[in-house]
Amino acid sequence: MKHTPLTILFFLFFSLYFGCLAQSQDKYTEALTIKKLNKNKLLFKFDFNTISKNPNYQNYFLFPKTFGNLVKENSLEYLRFSLTQGMYHLKYGEIGRYSPPGGELIATFETKEDLESKFRTVSRKISGIFGTSQKFSDLTISAQPFYTEFNSLESTSQRTHYSSLPREPVCTENLTPWLKLLPCRSKAGLASLLNPIKLYDLFYHSMSVEVTRSQENSLSFHQQLLLVVELKEFKFSQIFGTPLIGPICPFSSQTKIQIEGFSDYSSFTPTPEEIGNNQVGFILKENLNKKDFNLHYSPKEKTNNNGYNHNNIGNDNSNNGNDNNNNFNNNGINDENISKNQSIKLNRFLKESGKIRGGVITQITNLEKNDLHLTLYDSLPWFMRVYFHTLTIKSNFENKEIEITDLNLESEQGNESNLFANQASLLRIQTSQDHGRPSIFELALVLKPGETFQISVDYLKGFLNFEEHPFDGNRGFDIAPAIVSMHGKKQNLKKRIYYTDSLLLMLPTPDFTMPYNVMTITTTAFLIWYGSFLNNLTGRAGLKLKKKSKAKWIIKPDKF
Amino acid sequence: MILQLSLLLLGILLRAVTYHFGLTSVYNQKFEYVTPFTSFDNLVEAVHLMSHGTSPYGGSHFHLPPIYLWLFRWVDQDSYANWGLRIIFILIDLICCLLLFLIIKQTLGQQKNKMLNAKFERILPVAISSIYFLNPFTIASCLVYCMGNFTRLYILLSIYLALNANLVLSTFVLSLAAYTEVTPALLIIPIILLCIKQRSQLFKAKINQNKSQVKRTQEKQKEEKEEKEEKKQQKTKQHKNSNTFLQWFLGIFLFLFWWVLLLVLSQLMFNSKFSNFKININDPNFFQHFFSNNQYFTFLKHTYFFLLNITDLTPNIGLYWYLLTETFVVFRQFLVFTLQFINVIGLIPFTIRFRSYPLFLVAVITSSITILKAYPTLADFPFLFCILVMQPKLLEKTRYRAFFIRGFQVVIGLLSPFYKIWIQDGTGNANYLFGISLSFSFGEILVLMEMIRSAMIVITNEKDKKKEKNSLQYYISTKKKKSSQRKDK
């Protein structure tokens, strides 16, 4: 066999390539978690993790270069971006970190200077990467939550900026760039299951990107896709359109499928195995490629389903507004709409009569067996002009109103030991500005087991110019959900973040069809003002004097 | 006297009864009485924010200058049932009513040619002041603690003081009105004119007294007397000329002085971190603190700029809200500037035409300010009427009185339902309310124009009479001269 220059070159490149592989410290893992939830829901959670140790921000191997540059240029410590379709309710079960409907962007920077301008550049780059709207940097929605901890980093309170767009549409255009960030794209590995046509038909769909720079100088890049399906039995080819065909991604150091929460593992074909750490599932190796991996699940006895709640398929959406109001005094615990391991129950709704004044009511119920320490972050846009003097908290215990202690901690940050000294304390108020920043309040709450807090605040609606209304003005405005974060230092609970429901606010709309008519008619009134006073003051000819006015029959001075 | 007292008592009783039966909560929902500028809820919110160490102007609720915050720093949400506050607002209305009574009585007393019969004249002050005090609009605005009541009180008080030729106090009270709502600042010119006129009248009256004394004592020495009289007249003329200039200068200076003083005072209050209003002059860093803070007069943005720029588009009975909702944002600044400038532009021709009738000038300027307000309430309507009727002889010349009365009945009756079908029920759209509020303002404009027209008629009548007199006197004097010349010949 002749050693042609081409083959020599080929070998040279190959050796270089493997040399790079050996040198780079990037580690990439893939995982799919299938979990059974309440109410016939199934969760498919795709996790793609890239960890790069000691990054030099110049040579990138598996870590995406765009995000490496983003982190370096803007001195980011943490970034999370998610696009979500559908609303996830806690009654389906806890699934860890999830996202509110629409888009959400959280960024923690190294320093707290120029936070807004930095956030603006980051948000523009992110929306450039994922093809979303540029509104994340809009001052009317973005703000700083001081007491909500979005990540495990320490003392991030003043360096974090948050913005959420509840009305951001999600489509395949956003998924394609997301898939391109993977080392194998959607050609191989678990990502080959992600068929955009099938994904957007599902009950809940949330894709997110999370970049964390830890203190040991390692960057982790976590891409997650949450899919919630409403099915009793499933097959990969049924949900995703294809079975898992392609080869396993060669860069992945571990590719596994994990199965949780099912009572009968024997109804799976192929049958799952133990994969360590008390986990059940499959570790995919290259030999699985020979035949298509089409996971199939069909429960043998459909009557024996522990985690299922019967007859609730149709009633899922009944859990709104007034129903909860009636449940307020029932401790909330006997409610059907609660899953087994749920530690908190959240409701949120509007009370309105007429289109001008109203109130936002948030209900939080503690379902744990010990006290819960929570902070609530509520941000309302400027056109909901909040009356902070109407902020009240009511407890279902003895149906009493709870006194809110005012802790103005803005001056002295980080003093968190006092945070939960009282049952309810107001941590922070930010007043809104017209056409500007939103109004924000943050509360620290201590809930006893079984206790429900009803937090209500009144607002007055602002009126918008007709150009400021969206094109479907009568649909209403989506209001981003409040964020409840659990501070569980004592109870060995993880720091968790929950989102309440997002709201739909109806604003009184002007008539969009006739701006010119209004302008002309009103300015005519002004013109008559001008014209008649000029006429009266100057036109002596018009004053042909009548010595006696004819209309005598209204005031007749002689008859007094 | 008994009639007056009983009417006053009736007004107070009506207010007390409506307060007692909690009609406040009913009227608090009505857009005719509660505007972003006058709302009491907003004051409560501002006080609450201040107690939390936040700026009271945050949240775009509160738009009154800081002294009101200091005055009402004790109010809270339960203050709607507070009798102290209720009594304050009843007193404001009561004082307004008494001032109207006194103003009209004084103007009727000063009239030279009495066109009305004596009985009518006697009853008129009581009638007009009780129209103001007893009508449902004023009572409703008293019920909802309308902050616009203050401006009305200041304007009436300053007119009354000017009628008594008290320049210093009337400019002070007017500066209070301007401090609250900016636009009443335009009233400074008619108020000074009124002061000057009243002072010269008082001076004349004194001289007349002197004259009569002189007449009695020195009736026989006619020739000497004539000489003296001539000298005195010359003196008074000189005195008058120098005095007018001084009064103009003093009036404008005093007005600006009071206004700036109030603004500086409120800046000092505002600077001390909202929570405590004590001005600590002993603090060595006091001036440093005052000057180092770059945010001078930030409250102006939320008070005066808010009123002039009309940032809040909440529906009211005025002209601007729907126009600015429906205009393209590009034209907004132009339109706001042009329309707000009407008052300033109108000031010049009105002043030139009615310079010798300052009381009517005051009425015209006040009503034009009231009509073109950014956030008017329905309580401004009876105020407008009473201000225009301060000179009752003008009423005789107005036309279309039946049309106006019926028209206002219909329009005011329709305001509330049209608001309800848009905002509460959602069955109608914004055009209903726009149409009705436009016709209300249009009606007010027509009334004002009618009053100006009748004033012009009265003025030209008077002038013609003077001319006739003068020509007659000239004719007689020339005839006398001719006849004497003939006699001489």
Side-chain angles (χ1 to χ4, degrees):
Chain A
M1 198 179 179
K2 279 183 183 177
H3 288 276
T4 54
L6 204 78
T7 44
I8 292 168
L9 257 175
F10 181 78
F11 273 104
L12 207 107
F13 274 119
F14 232 75
S15 55
L16 262 175
Y17 174 71
F18 280 104
C20 280
L21 254 186
Q23 269 181 11
S24 74
Q25 293 181 324
D26 291 7
K27 197 185 168 194
Y28 173 70
T29 53
E30 290 183 350
L32 165 64
T33 313
I34 303 168
K35 193 179 176 184
K36 192 166 159 188
L37 302 173
N38 277 344
K39 317 216 168 195
N40 297 339
K41 301 282 190 299
L42 285 169
L43 168 75
F44 288 82
K45 182 161 79 175
F46 290 85
D47 289 291
F48 304 98
N49 250 316
T50 314
I51 294 170
S52 171
K53 281 181 184 167
N54 299 318
N56 57 2
Y57 301 108
Q58 279 175 352
N59 303 320
Y60 294 90
F61 178 54
L62 295 175
F63 195 89
K65 191 183 174 184
T66 42
F67 278 86
N69 286 339
L70 198 70
V71 167
K72 196 198 167 194
E73 282 166 13
N74 298 293
S75 57
L76 275 167
E77 280 199 349
Y78 175 81
L79 177 82
R80 188 188 148 89
F81 171 73
S82 69
L83 279 172
T84 309
Q85 193 184 59
M87 184 126 78
Y88 188 78
H89 289 284
L90 281 174
K91 62 186 173 189
Y92 305 138
E94 299 217 2
I95 54 167
R97 188 84 164 84
Y98 65 102
S99 304
E104 189 197 36
L105 182 62
I106 307 159
T108 306
F109 298 90
E110 273 179 1
T111 50
K112 57 180 178 181
E113 281 88 38
D114 290 339
L115 212 61
E116 267 171 20
S117 64
K118 275 186 202 162
F119 187 76
R120 201 168 294 148
T121 51
V122 168
S123 71
R124 277 180 193 157
K125 284 201 173 163
I126 288 285
S127 49
I129 293 168
F130 292 104
T132 54
S133 69
Q134 297 246 329
K135 284 182 185 164
F136 281 104
S137 57
D138 195 346
L139 282 177
T140 55
I141 49 154
S142 70
Q144 280 176 269
F146 280 1
Y147 299 93
T148 308
E149 290 170 356
F150 291 105
N151 47 42
S152 53
L153 300 170
E154 278 181 12
S155 65
T156 56
S157 59
Q158 300 243 335
R159 298 179 283 134
T160 307
H161 213 90
Y162 174 85
S163 97
S164 135
L165 278 177
R167 217 178 157 182
E168 183 69 26
V170 190
C171 70
T172 56
E173 256 177 61
N174 310 121
L175 187 73
T176 316
W178 187 85
L179 286 173
K180 276 186 180 173
L181 293 169
L182 295 169
C184 300
R185 309 213 164 166
S186 56
K187 306 288 182 202
L190 292 175
S192 63
L193 283 174
L194 303 176
N195 177 6
I197 297 166
K198 285 278 180 183
L199 287 186
Y200 290 95
D201 286 342
L202 303 181
F203 180 78
Y204 174 82
H205 169 276
S206 165
M207 60 185 216
S208 65
V209 172
E210 197 171 22
V211 189
T212 319
R213 198 176 65 180
S214 65
Q215 299 206 323
E216 300 93 48
N217 198 19
S218 72
L219 275 175
S220 86
F221 185 70
H222 181 208
Q223 278 175 276
Q224 192 181 57
L225 186 74
L226 295 174
L227 304 170
V228 176
V229 195
E230 194 168 355
L231 281 176
K232 281 191 177 176
E233 49 186 295
F234 69 89
K235 218 186 228 183
F236 270 9
S237 55
Q238 176 199 354
I239 296 170
F240 301 110
T242 60
L244 193 58
I245 312 167
I248 298 306
C249 182
F251 303 112
S252 170
S253 54
Q254 192 190 41
T255 306
K256 65 175 180 184
I257 295 174
Q258 196 181 317
I259 292 166
E260 281 178 15
F262 290 90
S263 52
D264 46 343
Y265 292 108
S266 54
S267 19
F268 281 96
T269 41
T271 322
E273 307 137 21
E274 286 264 330
I275 53 165
N277 296 337
N278 288 328
Q279 289 169 339
V280 179
F282 311 91
I283 290 183
L284 301 185
K285 287 160 193 164
E286 287 185 46
N287 57 7
L288 272 170
N289 301 347
K290 289 169 189 170
K291 51 180 179 176
D292 294 349
F293 185 80
N294 194 358
L295 192 67
H296 178 66
Y297 171 72
S298 56
K300 282 160 194 166
E301 296 171 31
K302 289 184 180 176
T303 45
N304 178 26
N305 33 14
N306 288 334
Y308 280 30
N309 267 328
H310 309 275
N311 65 42
N312 260 330
I313 302 161
N315 296 337
D316 271 3
N317 296 323
S318 64
N319 191 15
N320 289 325
N322 295 328
D323 289 358
N324 293 315
N325 223 352
N326 298 336
N327 289 336
F328 179 53
N329 294 323
N330 304 337
N331 284 350
I333 285 176
N334 306 325
D335 203 331
E336 280 185 354
N337 293 322
I338 289 172
S339 67
K340 259 191 283 175
N341 299 321
Q342 195 175 339
S343 55
I344 191 171
K345 189 186 151 203
L346 297 170
N347 289 315
R348 188 166 153 100
F349 42 89
L350 294 173
K351 56 160 193 195
E352 277 189 3
S353 67
K355 285 187 195 167
I356 285 228
R357 267 190 96 139
V360 182
I361 292 176
T362 313
Q363 287 180 344
I364 305 174
T365 311
N366 181 4
L367 303 174
E368 292 275 332
K369 283 172 186 168
N370 39 21
D371 285 6
L372 275 185
H373 289 184
L374 304 171
T375 56
L376 175 86
Y377 165 82
D378 205 339
S379 149
L380 300 168
W382 70 267
F383 46 78
M384 291 167 93
R385 294 191 176 128
V386 175
Y387 280 124
F388 284 107
H389 71 262
T390 59
L391 181 67
T392 47
I393 300 178
K394 236 173 156 187
S395 167
N396 66 334
F397 286 5
E398 299 164 16
N399 216 347
K400 63 173 183 189
E401 205 169 281
I402 288 170
E403 199 180 325
I404 305 171
T405 31
D406 184 16
L407 294 178
N408 271 319
L409 286 180
E410 264 182 277
S411 49
E412 30 177 318
Q413 272 297 311
N415 190 13
E416 289 207 1
S417 54
N418 294 329
L419 222 63
F420 300 105
N422 300 299
Q423 212 174 4
S425 39
L426 182 63
L427 303 174
R428 176 179 163 227
I429 276 180
Q430 180 190 297
T431 49
S432 64
Q433 279 168 356
D434 271 4
H435 307 274
R437 66 182 195 190
S439 50
I440 293 169
F441 61 91
E442 286 186 83
L443 292 166
L445 307 167
V446 180
L447 272 80
K448 288 167 194 153
E451 191 170 20
T452 303
F453 275 2
Q454 176 165 304
I455 301 146
S456 79
V457 71
D458 283 7
Y459 60 83
L460 191 74
K461 285 178 196 169
F463 284 73
L464 303 175
N465 185 289
F466 87 110
E467 280 187 332
E468 289 169 318
H469 283 276
F471 294 109
D472 46 351
N474 287 309
R475 182 190 166 272
F477 287 77
D478 290 83
I479 307 299
I483 306 171
V484 176
S485 70
M486 206 181 265
H487 292 247
K489 279 178 185 168
K490 289 174 190 169
Q491 301 107 357
N492 294 324
L493 284 166
K494 276 184 185 176
K495 286 180 181 179
R496 282 176 182 165
I497 284 176
Y498 302 99
Y499 296 93
T500 61
D501 309 340
S502 63
L503 301 169
L504 188 66
L505 181 82
M506 302 296 289
L507 285 186
T509 49
D511 190 345
F512 295 111
T513 54
M514 45 171 279
Y516 288 105
N517 297 13
V518 173
M519 266 150 68
T520 45
I521 294 170
T522 318
T523 39
T524 309
F526 281 105
L527 263 180
I528 283 171
W529 169 280
Y530 266 120
S532 55
F533 90 61
L534 276 176
N535 194 29
N536 276 330
L537 293 181
T538 56
R540 278 172 165 270
L543 295 174
K544 288 201 169 173
L545 309 176
K546 290 174 189 171
K547 290 199 172 174
K548 284 180 184 176
S549 70
K550 281 177 186 172
K552 257 189 174 178
W553 43 274
I554 286 169
I555 295 175
K556 288 179 179 170
D558 300 329
K559 288 198 175 177
F560 270 90
Chain B
M1 200 59 191
I2 296 162
L3 179 74
Q4 284 161 247
L5 278 178
S6 59
L7 283 173
L8 288 183
L9 275 177
L10 180 66
I12 293 168
L13 202 70
L14 268 174
R15 281 164 173 76
V17 166
T18 41
Y19 271 133
H20 180 74
F21 287 109
L23 280 178
T24 308
S25 57
V26 176
Y27 279 98
N28 228 358
Q29 309 287 326
K30 301 231 168 202
F31 82 112
E32 303 102 307
Y33 306 106
V34 183
T35 65
F37 183 69
T38 61
S39 167
F40 185 75
D41 270 352
N42 294 355
L43 179 72
V44 173
E45 171 69 8
V47 171
H48 178 80
L49 286 179
M50 202 172 59
S51 70
H52 278 268
T54 336
S55 166
Y57 292 104
S60 327
H61 278 299
F62 185 64
H63 304 289
L64 282 166
I67 284 179
Y68 289 91
L69 213 56
W70 180 76
L71 277 174
F72 289 102
R73 64 195 180 280
W74 47 275
V75 300
D76 56 2
Q77 214 178 349
D78 306 325
S79 292
Y80 277 117
N82 187 338
W83 274 103
L85 202 64
R86 289 171 176 181
I87 286 167
I88 288 175
F89 276 85
I90 291 177
L91 269 179
I92 289 173
D93 274 8
L94 192 67
I95 295 168
C96 280
C97 163
L98 289 175
L99 285 171
L100 262 173
F101 175 78
L102 290 172
I103 290 169
I104 293 166
K105 205 170 184 190
Q106 202 164 340
T107 49
L108 281 177
Q110 284 177 2
Q111 260 174 30
K112 284 171 193 169
N113 43 351
K114 299 193 173 175
M115 298 167 82
L116 309 158
N117 70 20
K119 211 177 175 186
F120 184 64
E121 222 176 270
R122 214 183 306 137
I123 213 162
L124 205 66
V126 186
I128 290 171
S129 56
S130 54
I131 279 176
Y132 182 79
F133 196 53
L134 291 177
N135 81 75
F137 310 133
T138 325
I139 294 176
S141 90
C142 178
L143 279 182
V144 298
Y145 305 138
C146 176
M147 290 291 151
N149 289 3
F150 284 98
T151 326
R152 264 167 253 141
L153 173 69
Y154 298 144
I155 290 174
L156 283 177
L157 192 57
S158 122
I159 294 171
Y160 176 70
L161 288 167
L163 268 176
N164 290 324
N166 193 339
L167 189 68
V168 181
L169 276 180
S170 76
T171 46
F172 173 67
V173 176
L174 190 67
S175 77
L176 275 174
Y179 173 75
T180 323
E181 226 169 303
V182 206
T183 40
L186 295 176
L187 275 173
I188 183 64
I189 290 167
I191 287 286
I192 293 174
L193 272 173
L194 189 60
C195 269
I196 291 169
K197 196 196 172 189
Q198 292 303 115
R199 183 162 281 202
S200 67
Q201 273 187 3
L202 284 179
F203 199 77
K204 266 185 195 170
K206 271 185 187 174
I207 285 185
N208 283 338
Q209 276 183 3
N210 288 342
K211 252 197 224 171
S212 56
Q213 282 175 4
V214 167
K215 268 185 185 175
R216 278 168 208 161
T217 48
Q218 304 174 330
E219 237 177 311
K220 293 167 187 174
Q221 304 164 326
K222 277 183 182 177
E223 289 172 12
E224 286 177 30
K225 192 205 91 182
E226 276 173 5
E227 281 173 17
K228 275 186 182 175
E229 213 175 278
E230 276 174 16
K231 278 179 188 175
K232 264 181 188 171
Q233 274 180 349
Q234 280 175 357
K235 269 186 190 174
T236 51
K237 269 188 181 175
Q238 283 173 3
H239 181 75
K240 214 179 166 183
N241 284 335
S242 63
N243 214 14
T244 26
F245 177 72
L246 195 76
Q247 291 229 345
W248 272 105
F249 175 76
L250 199 69
I252 288 172
F253 172 77
L254 274 174
F255 173 70
L256 291 176
F257 172 73
W258 293 125
W259 199 2
V260 169
L261 193 72
L262 285 168
L263 287 178
V264 169
L265 201 65
S266 39
Q267 166 67 15
L268 286 173
M269 284 172 169
F270 199 58
N271 227 6
S272 49
K273 276 199 168 181
F274 325 118
S275 48
N276 57 330
F277 266 118
K278 285 169 195 166
I279 303 168
N280 189 7
I281 303 176
N282 295 327
D283 182 11
N285 296 326
F286 173 70
F287 282 104
Q288 231 177 22
H289 183 73
F290 178 60
F291 288 111
S292 65
N293 194 345
N294 284 326
Q295 296 175 324
Y296 298 122
F297 303 108
T298 38
F299 63 91
L300 290 183
K301 191 192 158 197
H302 299 279
T303 53
Y304 296 172
F305 184 72
F306 168 81
L307 279 176
L308 296 175
N309 198 34
I310 318 173
T311 0
D312 197 319
L313 300 175
T314 309
N316 53 48
I317 56 171
L319 273 168
Y320 294 101
W321 64 273
Y322 203 56
L323 175 69
L324 294 179
T325 309
E326 290 277 8
T327 42
F328 301 95
V329 180
V330 190
F331 301 134
R332 188 195 152 84
Q333 290 306 320
F334 165 73
L335 265 175
V336 167
F337 178 77
T338 324
L339 301 184
Q340 293 280 28
F341 214 61
I342 285 183
N343 276 329
V344 186
I345 286 211
L347 188 66
I348 301 159
F350 285 139
T351 313
I352 292 168
R353 182 58 83 197
F354 300 118
R355 63 185 177 283
S356 40
Y357 305 88
L359 194 65
F360 185 68
L361 185 61
V362 168
V364 168
I365 302 288
T366 314
S367 45
S368 82
I369 286 168
T370 317
I371 293 168
L372 297 181
K373 247 186 194 177
Y375 302 101
T377 60
L378 210 48
D380 288 326
F381 178 62
F383 175 70
L384 187 102
F385 172 75
C386 294
I387 282 278
L388 281 174
V389 181
M390 277 193 311
Q391 282 164 321
K393 63 178 174 182
L394 300 185
L395 255 187
E396 276 199 335
K397 298 276 184 240
T398 48
R399 302 169 297 178
Y400 320 126
R401 277 174 291 197
F403 169 75
F404 281 131
I405 289 169
R406 293 292 139 78
F408 276 118
Q409 279 173 2
V410 171
V411 166
I412 291 172
L414 282 177
L415 275 171
S416 213
F418 278 4
Y419 178 79
K420 191 170 175 284
I421 62 169
W422 177 35
I423 299 291
Q424 242 87 38
D425 305 345
T427 46
N429 68 10
N431 294 334
Y432 290 79
L433 187 58
F434 161 64
I436 212 72
S437 66
L438 181 73
S439 39
F440 178 74
S441 307
F442 195 61
E444 281 182 333
I445 290 174
L446 289 182
V447 166
L448 177 60
M449 287 309 147
E450 204 47 50
M451 292 304 281
I452 289 174
R453 187 188 158 276
S454 54
M456 287 299 294
I457 292 172
V458 171
I459 289 166
T460 37
N461 269 347
E462 277 181 13
K463 276 186 181 171
D464 289 350
K465 273 180 189 171
K466 266 187 190 173
K467 265 187 188 173
E468 278 174 22
K469 256 189 190 175
N470 287 340
S471 55
L472 203 70
Q473 279 175 1
Y474 178 74
Y475 180 72
I476 292 165
S477 58
T478 43
K479 264 201 169 179
K480 272 183 183 175
K481 274 182 186 175
K482 279 179 183 174
S483 58
S484 58
Q485 279 172 3
R486 276 175 198 165
K487 275 181 185 176
D488 289 344
K489 281 177 182 176

